[in-house]
Amino acid sequence: MNDRILIIDFGSQVTQLIARRIREAGVYCEIVPFNNAENAVADFAPAGIILSGGPASVHEADTPRAPQAVFEAGIPVLGICYGQMAMVEQLGGSIEAGSEREFGRASLEVIGDSPLIDGVWEKGATPTVWMSHGDRVVAMPDGFEKVGVSENAPFALIADHERKYYGLMFHPEVVHTPEGAKILANFAHKIAGCGGDWTMAHFKTEAIAAIRKQVGDKKVICGLSGGVDSSVAATLIHEAIGDQLTCILVDHGLMRLNETEQVVDMFREHYHIPLIAVDASVRFLDALKGVSDPEKKRKIIGGLFIDIFEEEAQKIGGAEFLAQGTLYPDVIESVSFTGGPSVTIKSHHNVGGLPERMNLKLVEPLRELFKDEVRDLGRELGLPDHFVGRHPFPGPGLAIRIPGDITKEKLDVLRKADAVYLDEIRNAGLYDTIWQAFAVLLPVQTVGVMGDARTYDHVCALRAVTSTDGMTADFYPYDMEFLARAATRIINEVKGINRVVYDVTSKPPGTIEWE
């Protein structure tokens, strides 16, 4: 039996968390949309299948269902929320709209035993779980029994132990359900029989072999942005095929302070990876002159990036493959929302398509990994922690951190302020605690007095957020002493700023990008 789990996605905002929990248990898994799941059941040959939650109502017409192959495969199935209700309805049970909805924390009463909760909860326990449903099961299919109930979910945990079918009305994948990760691990290990030995070392060995098989003796070019994704992809590919790889770094003048020099030093001087660094800052500034709309900025940057990238690729000559640091969330979003993966320069946030005239085949060795797994792979490849642990930095760079018109003067001011801010974060030992931190130059100027002189300068906003995957985020709760130190240093050391504010915006579930 293959040691892997297939997750069928019905559109839940937290389906990726199911995959993360399964992988944290040392079991490889993949997500497939419900409308593409028929062939995946046979092709992927999983040891078990998980049906995710979703926003639809099973009792309404034309709502998603699992392919019948799921229930004909003879393997364990776990349905979560909508996934439970779809399974129940397809196997002969009944669903109805509940008179009372159940969202948020709820008390579960465990009234039976099951290997799904073995070592997690005992009969009689009343743990807190996270619910998110308006409909509910009112009649179970034949062969099922109740294992847990809640106030508004009379079949909150059900099991058919003979067929190894299980249903949960609550969400074990979210942190708000304590011990939920253990429930998913039980499904993978004790019920589906997976061994739990999927590691980054194992992935690295398989990925190198796959790259060599795909590429053969052909040349590969890679757009190196200096971010974690493209850096890890380039290092992995170089380990697989050596100097068949050439990286191209397009410096658009929108990078952080000394970032271009740091990337060139690491990859060209330390790792000896062939690297072409192009200073195109003047071309980008000219193209962005007078542009204020952030989406237009992205499009301009993406389009010009591709033009310059193509120019440099033609100088190399003979390349047949383009390497990208595409991650699994990119793949899931592309498949779920557009019907298929788009061919784009990923390091620039998909702001421009890859011209067909380039006629390059893609090498995407990270497309099965989440962000934290990419960091683990980077460490496995020997990349230093200070580089692997870098905060995410978008392809358009400082351009989207300067609302309004972009000028060299504004870029220089923001670069210095951002560097001081990050330096204070590191000095306070907070860098690895915070998922992403950066400075923004606001499109306003204020009157201030510095010393004996009146000033009319920029306002700098500071942001810091905590997150595990970038899908949701909350502001970091700095103490006032830290903010005072950071603000004082920025005002004293960065000419052109006379006021600093802290942004406490949070990022709600379901949004794709922070910026």
Side-chain angles (χ1 to χ4, degrees):
M1 181 177 289
N2 290 321
D3 280 7
R4 51 191 184 176
I5 300 293
L6 181 67
I7 301 166
I8 297 179
D9 181 21
F10 288 114
S12 169
Q13 293 180 345
V14 292
T15 297
Q16 291 189 37
L17 293 182
I18 302 174
R20 292 174 64 85
R21 301 295 172 256
I22 294 295
R23 291 188 181 187
E24 286 166 4
V27 178
Y28 182 68
C29 64
E30 289 189 9
I31 299 171
V32 61
F34 72 92
N35 54 351
N36 289 334
E38 183 79 37
N39 293 332
V41 175
D43 297 342
F44 192 66
I49 294 173
I50 297 177
L51 308 178
S52 86
S57 293
V58 169
H59 58 81
E60 295 179 354
D62 300 322
T63 50
R65 295 294 186 274
Q68 196 57 32
V70 168
F71 307 110
E72 295 172 351
I75 58 177
V77 179
L78 171 63
I80 297 173
C81 198
Y82 183 91
Q84 181 205 36
M85 291 184 279
M87 177 175 66
V88 165
E89 192 266 348
Q90 289 180 249
L91 295 176
S94 299
I95 309 298
E96 70 175 16
S99 58
E100 297 290 339
R101 298 186 301 172
E102 201 167 30
F103 292 97
R105 291 179 174 84
S107 179
L108 178 74
E109 181 184 357
V110 180
I111 62 174
D113 298 311
S114 171
L116 193 64
I117 56 172
D118 185 31
V120 182
W121 301 319
E122 295 182 352
K123 187 175 180 180
T126 56
T128 297
V129 297
W130 188 264
M131 297 281 193
S132 182
H133 64 93
D135 302 338
R136 63 180 183 175
V137 177
V138 292
M140 294 185 295
D142 292 342
F144 281 82
E145 63 182 72
K146 281 199 287 188
V147 179
V149 301
S150 72
E151 182 177 358
N152 293 307
F155 302 95
L157 198 167
I158 61 175
D160 180 333
H161 293 116
E162 183 176 344
R163 289 184 289 181
K164 296 185 178 180
Y165 291 167
Y166 302 87
L168 305 175
M169 189 57 74
F170 60 89
H171 288 268
E173 67 271 31
V174 300
V175 295
H176 308 83
T177 298
E179 312 296 332
K182 292 183 180 178
I183 294 173
L184 291 170
N186 277 349
F187 178 76
H189 296 315
K190 297 183 178 182
I191 295 172
C194 297
D197 56 357
W198 188 72
T199 65
M200 273 302 112
H202 180 259
F203 176 87
K204 171 187 164 184
T205 300
E206 288 194 339
I208 288 173
I211 292 166
R212 289 171 178 165
K213 181 178 180 182
Q214 179 186 7
V215 173
D217 60 356
K218 307 302 182 183
K219 290 182 181 180
V220 180
I221 55 174
C222 176
L224 188 64
S225 69
V228 175
D229 304 343
S230 64
S231 298
V232 172
T235 306
L236 178 66
I237 293 169
H238 187 257
E239 187 157 329
I241 62 173
D243 289 353
Q244 290 171 238
L245 170 71
T246 299
C247 292
I248 300 173
L249 173 62
V250 178
D251 181 359
H252 46 32
L254 308 170
M255 309 277 270
R256 282 174 155 162
L257 189 66
N258 300 324
E259 192 164 35
T260 298
E261 293 81 1
Q262 293 167 3
V263 173
V264 170
D265 180 69
M266 173 174 289
F267 287 92
R268 184 186 287 166
E269 307 301 330
H270 185 71
Y271 285 97
H272 305 294
I273 296 176
L275 171 62
I276 297 170
V278 185
D279 183 357
S281 55
V282 174
R283 289 178 66 177
F284 277 90
L285 269 177
D286 287 345
L288 290 167
K289 187 175 181 179
V291 179
S292 297
D293 181 81
E295 286 308 307
K296 287 183 179 178
K297 290 178 183 177
R298 288 178 184 270
K299 296 295 183 183
I300 290 170
I301 293 166
L304 186 52
F305 171 87
I306 290 171
D307 289 344
I308 296 171
F309 186 89
E310 185 180 11
E311 291 170 11
E312 297 303 320
Q314 288 175 346
K315 293 177 186 177
I316 298 170
E320 294 189 17
F321 291 88
L322 170 70
Q324 291 193 156
T326 306
L327 305 192
Y328 199 41
D330 302 310
V331 175
I332 297 166
E333 290 157 11
S334 180
V335 171
S336 297
F337 299 115
T338 69
S342 55
V343 182
T344 51
I345 298 290
K346 188 264 172 189
S347 64
H348 279 250
H349 273 334
N350 298 339
V351 290
L354 181 67
E356 292 183 6
R357 63 181 178 272
M358 290 185 72
N359 195 30
L360 296 175
K361 292 167 279 191
L362 290 178
V363 181
E364 298 174 306
L366 310 182
R367 63 182 286 114
E368 298 172 353
L369 301 183
F370 290 100
K371 189 77 171 189
D372 55 332
E373 294 170 334
V374 172
R375 297 188 195 280
D376 290 341
L377 177 60
R379 296 184 183 96
E380 186 71 32
L381 290 163
L383 288 168
D385 276 342
H386 75 269
F387 196 85
V388 173
R390 295 175 70 188
H391 291 176
F393 191 60
L398 298 181
I400 55 173
R401 293 175 181 173
I402 301 178
D405 190 23
I406 297 172
T407 65
K408 185 177 185 302
E409 179 265 334
K410 288 181 181 179
L411 286 168
D412 290 340
V413 169
L414 180 56
R415 244 188 290 271
K416 293 173 185 176
D418 188 70
V420 171
Y421 178 38
L422 293 181
D423 187 50
E424 279 300 311
I425 289 173
R426 291 188 178 95
N427 290 342
L430 298 175
Y431 190 85
D432 293 336
T433 302
I434 295 168
W435 184 76
Q436 185 185 42
F438 53 91
V440 176
L441 203 64
L442 297 182
V444 294
Q445 289 179 276
T446 62
V447 175
V449 176
M450 299 179 69
D452 295 321
R454 187 176 297 276
T455 63
Y456 184 60
D457 286 327
H458 296 288
V459 178
C460 175
L462 306 181
R463 259 188 194 171
V465 296
T466 56
S467 180
T468 57
D469 51 19
M471 296 300 290
T472 61
D474 202 357
F475 68 90
Y476 184 79
Y478 287 128
D479 60 48
M480 289 305 298
E481 289 185 8
F482 172 87
L483 289 174
R485 286 197 307 272
T488 299
R489 276 197 62 190
I490 290 171
I491 291 171
N492 285 342
E493 298 178 26
V494 183
K495 186 177 180 180
I497 292 176
N498 67 2
R499 196 174 303 275
V500 176
V501 298
Y502 183 55
D503 184 351
V504 294
T505 306
S506 296
K507 177 185 175 185
T511 50
I512 302 304
E513 294 180 15
W514 173 254
E515 299 173 271

